[in-house]
Amino acid sequence: MRGFLASSIGVATAAALSLPLALALPTAAAAQAVTAAAPVAPAAPAGSTQSLPLVPLRSAADRDTGVPGMSVSPRLPETRGLPARDVGTFSMVGVVWDDAATQLTGRVQVRTRSVAAGTWSDWQDVETHNSEHAADPDTAERAAGRVRGGTAPLWVGASDGVEVRVMAEPAAAPRSGDRAAVPGVPGAAKLPSGLRIELVDPGAAPVRTLPAADAKNGAEPGEPAGDDKGETAVGAPGMSMEMAESSAANVPHAPLGAILIPALNKADSTADAILASEGTLSPAARPYIGPRPAIVTRRGWGADEQLRESGFVYTNTVKAAFVHHTASGNGYACKDAPAVLRSLYRYHVVSEGWRDIGYNFAVDKCGTVYEGRAGGVAKPVLGAHTMGFNTDSMGIAVIGTFTDAQPPAAAVSAVARLTAWKLGLFGANPLSKTTLRSAGGNLYHKGTNVRMNVISGHRDGFATECPGRLLYGKLPTTRTSSAHLQGR
């Protein structure tokens, strides 16, 4: 595996422990800040996961699925699920199974009961094809022995009841492949073993709140921030060693304990990059670095740092950015985006067995940028977002589903700003193409050198719908805007 592992905070981090947290906070919150010299015990980790095994719902001879929209056949394929039941509160759902290399070929539907209204939702489809969001083959993360297959997670809001149906692809639509047949149902797919429904509660993060005006992500003058922006979550008093490790990775761009990495104009972004590079980035080379957007840190959105593996894994550089959508639905308010992120993070780590959240960055529908996988926003952190092309790239996930829904202009603008800055740090031109070597996937064999756009969609490296056809259609203008922000 290319890259290296930094498993301890180190001397530089220890020195950074003396930096006052107040310097990292907006004025409104500075009065409540604490320093590492006067630690406060961190609050208990927030959130929980209920993992319930799915059971056979009927025999293959049954004719009625009981699920609207599912086909009826005299010889129906395998179906598993859960009848409607009361459960503990959760806000995100997903289905996982034992073998990460096995595909779920079929349909997954859930319906949930709202805590607030006490009513059941309609049946909702869960995106089954999610294996392309994963660590590369032959990496330590992939070979850890705990990685499981999983659907995309679906955000449903606070709920306390659930019903699940998972149906294998019916015999009426046989497909070739190496799937084992369901007995008595020629051509039907077999469901993966170990199917479980994961019910994720993001919890109330151990946080204070940051006024939305302080978290605004560098929008152009006159650009609306969204009418439901509300407040953005920020860090709690006191830091564990895991919190300090994660936060220290962003020094000197922000002091230890920062809840928000502030926006910088283009000139200051260039000067900041030169400072962080310890002089290896020459001012005479006229680096094309776009203005840095404000970035809510992991501490800012309430990441439980004890969930992830300790230490960070880096690759050599950042040659490309892959744009994704989370396929988790659009039914969230921007004030809920930190909770959605905490749920995604918990699902990736606890349910799917990854070392950390897969994406390097996330962007909500109002254009706020969030730090994703730990290791430092300005560093080449190895992610698990585009299987086969995680090396020398970064992954940006827009929170939502954009196959049939238009991505908000604020989110698209934020992707342009983020790529202008981060790609600029590594000398990459958003209008250019670059060459990446495939680590293996369903489009390119392992070892294949692939020429692709510096700003690409997930589907450019893997046969997938991600990032949704409507968000994918915004990439040409995103490249132009990003290059313009770099001064090209």
Side-chain angles (χ1 to χ4, degrees), residues 112-487:
T112 56
R113 186 178 61 208
S114 166
V115 169
T119 56
W120 286 86
S121 70
D122 294 332
W123 288 100
Q124 299 184 77
D125 285 298
V126 178
E127 173 59 57
T128 58
H129 300 295
N130 193 51
S131 61
E132 62 268 20
H133 299 86
D136 288 345
D138 301 325
T139 60
E141 182 173 0
R142 185 78 174 188
R146 61 176 181 273
V147 178
R148 293 196 280 181
T151 68
L154 178 67
W155 177 259
V156 295
S159 305
D160 59 7
V162 66
E163 186 173 5
V164 189
R165 307 276 185 173
V166 181
M167 178 182 281
E169 185 178 86
R175 294 167 59 182
S176 61
D178 57 359
R179 301 188 297 265
V182 177
V185 188
K190 181 175 176 59
L191 292 176
S193 63
L195 284 170
R196 306 182 71 86
I197 182 75
E198 303 287 290
L199 308 176
V200 182
D201 173 26
V207 299
R208 295 184 300 275
T209 55
L210 174 69
D214 291 326
K216 186 161 173 53
N217 199 358
E220 297 296 328
E223 179 182 347
D227 59 7
D228 65 346
K229 190 64 180 180
E231 294 180 325
T232 300
V234 300
M239 287 192 295
S240 65
M241 289 299 291
E242 293 87 356
M243 290 177 182
E245 179 188 49
S246 176
S247 183
N250 286 317
V251 176
H253 301 286
L256 189 77
I259 56 178
L260 183 75
I261 298 172
L264 293 178
N265 62 31
K266 189 178 188 307
D268 289 342
S269 291
T270 300
D272 184 62
I274 293 171
L275 173 66
S277 70
E278 299 179 347
T280 60
L281 185 64
S282 171
R286 194 194 169 191
Y288 291 92
I289 301 172
R292 185 178 72 200
I295 303 171
V296 177
T297 66
R298 290 171 61 90
R299 193 171 188 226
W301 53 263
D304 179 357
E305 297 294 353
Q306 295 184 41
L307 290 181
R308 65 173 176 84
E309 286 187 14
S310 63
F312 315 120
V313 180
Y314 298 102
T315 183
N316 295 325
T317 186
V318 178
K319 298 167 64 176
F322 287 99
V323 178
H324 304 256
H325 68 173
T326 59
S328 53
N330 302 316
Y332 72 95
C334 289
K335 64 182 175 60
D336 297 324
V340 177
L341 269 178
R342 292 195 301 275
S343 298
L344 284 168
Y345 171 44
R346 178 171 280 275
Y347 184 74
H348 284 178
V349 176
V350 176
S351 300
E352 296 191 281
W354 301 357
R355 77 184 317 271
D356 195 348
I357 192 170
Y359 309 111
N360 298 104
F361 296 93
V363 175
D364 71 22
K365 63 173 70 173
C366 289
T368 299
V369 177
Y370 301 86
E371 178 184 15
R373 180 162 287 207
V377 297
K379 297 176 182 177
V381 178
L382 180 68
H385 49 85
T386 306
M387 191 173 75
F389 292 99
N390 290 306
T391 296
D392 295 343
S393 72
M394 68 173 180
I396 304 169
V398 181
I399 301 173
T401 304
F402 304 108
T403 302
D404 298 312
Q406 285 287 348
V412 176
S413 177
V415 172
R417 293 194 302 274
L418 176 59
T419 52
W421 171 70
K422 184 64 180 279
L423 291 173
L425 296 179
F426 295 89
N429 181 350
L431 292 174
S432 296
K433 291 184 179 292
T434 190
T435 300
L436 297 177
R437 175 167 291 187
S438 173
N442 65 358
L443 276 182
Y444 302 101
H445 294 298
K446 182 178 179 179
T448 304
N449 288 324
V450 183
R451 193 78 172 159
M452 58 180 62
N453 290 307
V454 166
I455 298 179
S456 286
H458 186 179
R459 63 174 63 185
D460 295 319
F462 200 100
T464 172
E465 287 294 316
C466 185
R469 63 183 181 87
L470 296 180
L471 179 55
Y472 187 76
K474 299 292 185 182
L475 295 189
T477 56
T478 300
R479 296 180 190 112
T480 301
S481 297
S482 181
H484 177 74
L485 287 166
Q486 285 188 346

